Amino acid sequence: ELRIGAYFDVVLGADDVKRGKPAPDMILKACKLTKCSPRDAVFVGDSRSDMLMGKNARVKLCIGVLTGPTSKEKLEKIADIVVPSITSLRVKE
């Protein structure tokens, strides 16, 4: 067990929805549970199937991170932006 639940409003996996990646079900369920429109959501993932899931959910922005199995070149083909890792992300105030 990762014990990360306290850091997130919702934690979902493929077993929590009818269809797994690249179907948009996980993102759509998370948005519904948090009362956030997918068009206002930003999705971060490290694989091609993650990016396809974000695109299929029509989120505002799909961010690819290079900490997973997919190369920068492959992520750049589908992600809106690619960063080295999630720690590269900053919130503008």
Side-chain angles (χ1 to χ4, degrees):
E1 183 177 330
L2 296 176
R3 299 178 192 218
I4 59 173
Y7 298 104
F8 301 94
D9 292 328
V10 175
V11 176
L12 296 171
D15 56 340
D16 295 311
V17 293
K18 190 177 255 188
R19 300 175 301 161
K21 297 185 249 180
D25 298 22
M26 282 189 279
I27 293 174
L28 296 178
K29 184 171 184 175
C31 286
K32 183 176 182 179
L33 292 170
T34 58
K35 297 180 172 87
C36 173
S37 167
R39 288 189 169 91
D40 294 325
V42 173
F43 180 71
V44 180
D46 65 4
S47 69
R48 185 176 184 279
S49 62
D50 287 341
M51 295 300 100
L52 288 172
M53 181 172 62
K55 295 292 183 178
N56 289 335
R58 297 187 173 150
V59 297
K60 183 174 188 171
L61 187 69
C62 285
I63 301 174
V65 292
L66 298 175
T67 51
T70 309
S71 69
K72 181 178 181 182
E73 294 75 25
K74 287 183 181 179
L75 280 177
E76 286 177 332
K77 289 180 181 178
I78 193 161
D80 296 308
I81 186 171
V82 176
V83 296
S85 77
I86 198 165
T87 60
S88 304
L89 302 175
R90 299 287 182 260
V91 176
K92 277 189 171 182
E93 297 193 30

